[in-house]
Short mmCIF file of all heavy atoms in Angstrom, two decimals:
data_model
loop_
_atom_site.label_atom_id
_atom_site.label_comp_id
_atom_site.label_asym_id
_atom_site.label_seq_id
_atom_site.Cartn_x
_atom_site.Cartn_y
_atom_site.Cartn_z
N VAL A 1 97.23 211.83 91.34
CA VAL A 1 96.42 212.57 90.37
C VAL A 1 97.27 212.83 89.12
O VAL A 1 98.41 213.28 89.24
CB VAL A 1 95.91 213.90 90.95
CG1 VAL A 1 95.11 214.67 89.90
CG2 VAL A 1 95.06 213.64 92.19
N ALA A 2 96.70 212.55 87.96
CA ALA A 2 97.38 212.83 86.68
C ALA A 2 96.83 214.12 86.11
O ALA A 2 95.62 214.32 86.02
CB ALA A 2 97.14 211.68 85.69
N LEU A 3 97.75 215.00 85.71
CA LEU A 3 97.40 216.28 85.08
C LEU A 3 97.80 216.22 83.62
O LEU A 3 99.00 216.16 83.31
CB LEU A 3 98.09 217.43 85.79
CG LEU A 3 97.63 217.63 87.23
CD1 LEU A 3 98.63 218.46 88.02
CD2 LEU A 3 96.28 218.31 87.25
N CYS A 4 96.82 216.24 82.74
CA CYS A 4 97.06 216.16 81.30
C CYS A 4 96.95 217.56 80.71
O CYS A 4 95.85 218.07 80.50
CB CYS A 4 96.04 215.22 80.66
SG CYS A 4 96.09 213.56 81.35
N GLY A 5 98.08 218.17 80.47
CA GLY A 5 98.15 219.55 80.05
C GLY A 5 98.57 220.41 81.24
O GLY A 5 97.95 220.35 82.30
N LEU A 6 99.62 221.21 81.05
CA LEU A 6 100.20 221.97 82.17
C LEU A 6 100.24 223.45 81.87
O LEU A 6 101.18 224.16 82.25
CB LEU A 6 101.60 221.44 82.49
CG LEU A 6 101.68 219.94 82.81
CD1 LEU A 6 103.12 219.51 82.98
CD2 LEU A 6 100.85 219.59 84.05
N GLY A 7 99.20 223.95 81.18
CA GLY A 7 99.11 225.37 80.88
C GLY A 7 98.39 226.12 81.97
O GLY A 7 98.62 225.90 83.16
N GLY A 8 97.49 227.03 81.56
CA GLY A 8 96.78 227.85 82.53
C GLY A 8 95.97 227.03 83.53
O GLY A 8 95.95 227.32 84.72
N LEU A 9 95.30 226.01 83.06
CA LEU A 9 94.53 225.13 83.94
C LEU A 9 95.47 224.22 84.74
O LEU A 9 95.45 224.21 85.97
CB LEU A 9 93.54 224.29 83.15
CG LEU A 9 92.35 225.01 82.52
CD1 LEU A 9 91.58 224.06 81.63
CD2 LEU A 9 91.44 225.61 83.58
N GLY A 10 96.25 223.44 84.04
CA GLY A 10 97.03 222.40 84.70
C GLY A 10 98.04 222.92 85.70
O GLY A 10 98.21 222.33 86.77
N SER A 11 98.70 224.05 85.39
CA SER A 11 99.70 224.56 86.33
C SER A 11 99.04 225.08 87.60
O SER A 11 99.56 224.90 88.70
CB SER A 11 100.55 225.65 85.67
OG SER A 11 99.78 226.76 85.25
N HIS A 12 97.86 225.71 87.47
CA HIS A 12 97.12 226.16 88.65
C HIS A 12 96.60 224.97 89.48
O HIS A 12 96.69 224.98 90.71
CB HIS A 12 95.94 227.03 88.25
CG HIS A 12 96.29 228.45 87.94
ND1 HIS A 12 96.76 228.84 86.74
CD2 HIS A 12 96.23 229.56 88.71
CE1 HIS A 12 96.98 230.15 86.75
NE2 HIS A 12 96.66 230.61 87.93
N ILE A 13 96.04 223.98 88.80
CA ILE A 13 95.54 222.79 89.51
C ILE A 13 96.66 222.13 90.29
O ILE A 13 96.50 221.76 91.46
CB ILE A 13 94.92 221.80 88.53
CG1 ILE A 13 93.69 222.40 87.83
CG2 ILE A 13 94.52 220.50 89.25
CD1 ILE A 13 93.23 221.61 86.62
N ALA A 14 97.81 221.98 89.66
CA ALA A 14 98.94 221.31 90.29
C ALA A 14 99.39 222.02 91.56
O ALA A 14 99.65 221.38 92.59
CB ALA A 14 100.11 221.22 89.31
N LEU A 15 99.47 223.36 91.51
CA LEU A 15 99.89 224.11 92.70
C LEU A 15 98.90 223.92 93.85
O LEU A 15 99.29 223.74 95.00
CB LEU A 15 100.02 225.59 92.35
CG LEU A 15 101.41 226.12 91.98
CD1 LEU A 15 102.34 226.15 93.17
CD2 LEU A 15 102.01 225.34 90.82
N THR A 16 97.61 223.94 93.54
CA THR A 16 96.60 223.78 94.57
C THR A 16 96.67 222.39 95.20
O THR A 16 96.61 222.24 96.42
CB THR A 16 95.19 224.02 93.98
OG1 THR A 16 95.12 225.34 93.45
CG2 THR A 16 94.12 223.84 95.04
N LEU A 17 96.80 221.36 94.37
CA LEU A 17 96.86 220.00 94.91
C LEU A 17 98.14 219.77 95.70
O LEU A 17 98.13 219.06 96.71
CB LEU A 17 96.74 218.99 93.76
CG LEU A 17 95.43 219.03 92.96
CD1 LEU A 17 95.43 217.94 91.89
CD2 LEU A 17 94.21 218.89 93.87
N ALA A 18 99.23 220.38 95.27
CA ALA A 18 100.48 220.25 96.00
C ALA A 18 100.35 220.88 97.38
O ALA A 18 100.80 220.32 98.39
CB ALA A 18 101.62 220.91 95.23
N ARG A 19 99.72 222.04 97.46
CA ARG A 19 99.56 222.71 98.74
C ARG A 19 98.59 221.95 99.66
O ARG A 19 98.71 222.01 100.87
CB ARG A 19 99.06 224.15 98.53
CG ARG A 19 100.08 225.05 97.85
CD ARG A 19 99.62 226.49 97.81
NE ARG A 19 100.50 227.32 97.02
CZ ARG A 19 101.68 227.80 97.40
NH1 ARG A 19 102.13 227.50 98.62
NH2 ARG A 19 102.40 228.55 96.61
N ALA A 20 97.64 221.24 99.05
CA ALA A 20 96.70 220.45 99.85
C ALA A 20 97.30 219.16 100.36
O ALA A 20 96.69 218.48 101.19
CB ALA A 20 95.45 220.14 99.00
N GLY A 21 98.48 218.79 99.87
CA GLY A 21 99.13 217.59 100.37
C GLY A 21 98.74 216.32 99.65
O GLY A 21 98.89 215.22 100.20
N VAL A 22 98.25 216.44 98.40
CA VAL A 22 98.04 215.23 97.60
C VAL A 22 99.39 214.52 97.44
O VAL A 22 100.42 215.16 97.21
CB VAL A 22 97.44 215.59 96.23
CG1 VAL A 22 97.45 214.40 95.29
CG2 VAL A 22 96.02 216.10 96.42
N GLY A 23 99.36 213.19 97.55
CA GLY A 23 100.62 212.46 97.65
C GLY A 23 101.50 212.46 96.43
O GLY A 23 102.72 212.61 96.52
N LYS A 24 100.89 212.30 95.23
CA LYS A 24 101.69 212.19 94.01
C LYS A 24 100.95 212.85 92.85
O LYS A 24 99.74 212.69 92.70
CB LYS A 24 101.96 210.72 93.68
CG LYS A 24 102.81 210.52 92.43
CD LYS A 24 103.11 209.04 92.19
CE LYS A 24 103.96 208.84 90.94
NZ LYS A 24 104.28 207.40 90.70
N LEU A 25 101.71 213.55 92.03
CA LEU A 25 101.18 214.15 90.81
C LEU A 25 101.95 213.62 89.60
O LEU A 25 103.19 213.62 89.59
CB LEU A 25 101.29 215.68 90.85
CG LEU A 25 100.53 216.40 91.97
CD1 LEU A 25 100.76 217.91 91.86
CD2 LEU A 25 99.04 216.09 91.91
N ILE A 26 101.21 213.18 88.59
CA ILE A 26 101.78 212.80 87.30
C ILE A 26 101.59 213.99 86.37
O ILE A 26 100.46 214.42 86.14
CB ILE A 26 101.09 211.55 86.74
CG1 ILE A 26 101.21 210.38 87.70
CG2 ILE A 26 101.67 211.18 85.36
CD1 ILE A 26 100.36 209.17 87.31
N LEU A 27 102.68 214.57 85.89
CA LEU A 27 102.65 215.80 85.08
C LEU A 27 102.93 215.46 83.63
O LEU A 27 104.04 215.01 83.29
CB LEU A 27 103.70 216.79 85.59
CG LEU A 27 103.67 217.09 87.10
CD1 LEU A 27 104.83 218.00 87.47
CD2 LEU A 27 102.34 217.72 87.50
N LEU A 28 101.95 215.70 82.76
CA LEU A 28 102.06 215.28 81.36
C LEU A 28 101.86 216.46 80.42
O LEU A 28 100.79 217.05 80.37
CB LEU A 28 101.01 214.20 81.06
CG LEU A 28 101.03 212.96 81.96
CD1 LEU A 28 99.82 212.08 81.68
CD2 LEU A 28 102.32 212.18 81.77
#
């Protein structure tokens, strides 16, 4: 999953997906 923007939305989304065990995150 690619996250475009890592502010209020992106940082929260990333934490949730990480905890769910998504394999790879692209952080932009």
Side-chain angles (χ1 to χ4, degrees):
V1 178
L3 294 161
C4 301
L6 304 175
L9 291 172
S11 62
H12 279 83
I13 297 167
L15 264 290
T16 300
L17 298 182
R19 293 187 188 282
V22 169
K24 181 177 180 179
L25 298 180
I26 301 171
L27 308 176
L28 304 172

